[in-house]
Amino acid sequence: MEERKRSKGWCGWLLVAIVAATVAVSIFILVKKKGHHSDSGAAPVPGPPGAITQKYANALKLAMQFFDVQKSGKLVNNEIPWRGDSALKDGSEANLDLSKGMYDAGDHMKFGFPMAFTATVLSWAILEYGDQMKVVNQLEPAQDSLKWITDYLINAHPSDNVLYIQVGDPEIDHKCWERPEDMTEERPLTQVNTSTPGTEVAAETAAAMASASLVFKSTDPAYSSLLLKHAKQLFTFADKYRESYSISIPEVQNYYNSTGYGDELLWAASWLYYASGDQSYLDYVTGQNGKAFANWGSPTWFSWDNKLAGTQVLLSRVTFFGSKDTSNSDSLQNYRKTAVAVMCGLLPKSPTTTSSRTASDLIWVSEWNTLQHPVASAFLAVLYSDYMLTSQTAKLSCNGHSYRPSDLRNFAMSQADYVLGNNPMKMSYLVGYSNNYPKYVHHRGASIPADATTGCSDGFMWLNSTKPNPNVAVGALVGGPFLNETYIDSRNNTMQVEPTTYNSALIVGLLSGLVTTSSVVQSFT
């Protein structure tokens, strides 16, 4: 009896020792995993949109309103009290209705090249983050603003090989300072056609229509089909008659000069692949045209002029979520590798990080329209982060150093937070956000009282006024800070205080990606 008790006691202690050892080993492994965070497994796949981040929700609602500020034509359900109908006769000289569309910046020009880019980026944002926009009641406003532009683009393309790319003469327009509702000066039209081609502007317009066709595919199938038809025609025109519009129409060099059309051809073909499902468009970007124009291995900045980085991220989607036969193509992997190089250049602790930054780590590339590049870069980063999360891709490698999706998202948030006031000036560069934002925005409609009566030239008294704008250009994203992170809020300081419509599309995309916790990436089709 005594011997059995001793035996039981010995076995009990052995069991305790084994359990204790197991617990110790488990703790050791857990601590080791935490100490080597970058080497652990993939983060969980995100589900439906999660908790709302209120500061981004508030900023998104404001940013969306700038599209209403910029609308031309007969306004519908206008919620901007100081705006009214304008440019109702645009296009009449060609028997076209070009009254819709949006003014480019603080002036009253309709430049087709950046306007089409606005539509493409806004479509991309809706396609990726429409579920998150919907949670904060911004999906319908985004779709309405997109359609305001695509209605214009459809009318600007009256036949297969003709596209009207500009309404107004910049030289005439810039000699006036008046509200758009009071314009009386001539607004001539500029077109590209077979004798004066414009590959980049035709291809960008094709990209806008193809991407928008996906946005409206379920809600308005007839409109979606019409957009896709125009997109295909414009891409064929752009590709067949290859010439830069900056060469065909030298006057455009003073405003939106293009540095090449190869990026727009790849960008448009990529969107047409998604919109149509036609393999020939994927063959286009992975074949000889990819070799000629993709500049694989050399990361670039995403902007209205250069679409390569956007194309690389967009085509990475195929490698993350496409069929195995498609996604394993060497050319597609080259796009993805270059997209990774873009991401590595953005991550502040990466060994290949860019030196194009301010002291506070804002991406800074150009003194004109400074904020375009950090916002565009952050938009691409949050997209790529969500592609990684959804596909269970644990990390990306930058010269042997590993980074997780959360690192990309943190970078994106840092750029958004800078814009919203986390900067040395303690100023929000998004007009209307917080109490400290630009009050002297270079914007004609905002600078002139709605009840003022001015002509073309006497309105300059409002440009030169020392008083803040009487109207708030709500949601405008101004040019931004200098490299030394200073900002001079003066209406004549065009370089820093003028907003642009395409910057609004980029900040809407970025904020839509951040407005809730990461959302699972869904199919476009």
Side-chain angles (χ1 to χ4, degrees), residues 13 105 286 468:
W13 281 111
T286 55

Side-chain angles (χ1 to χ4, degrees), residues 112-183:
F113 192 26
M115 195 197 304
F117 177 68
T118 299
T120 312
V121 171
L122 186 54
S123 293
W124 198 3
I126 294 169
L127 291 168
E128 301 281 13
Y129 298 121
D131 55 345
Q132 303 193 180
M133 290 180 178
K134 191 172 183 178
V135 169
V136 292
N137 301 314
Q138 294 306 305
L139 177 57
E140 189 174 328
Q143 291 170 327
D144 289 346
S145 293
L146 174 61
K147 191 171 185 295
W148 201 266
I149 298 176
T150 54
D151 284 352
Y152 167 87
L153 295 177
I154 287 170
N155 289 350
H157 182 227
S159 60
D160 289 11
N161 298 331
V162 173
L163 175 66
Y164 286 87
I165 63 160
Q166 185 172 296
V167 180
D169 180 332
E171 299 301 320
I172 296 173
D173 183 86
H174 290 182
K175 289 177 181 177
C176 296
W177 192 268
E178 60 191 338
R179 299 173 70 246
E181 294 81 359
D182 299 329
M183 286 189 295

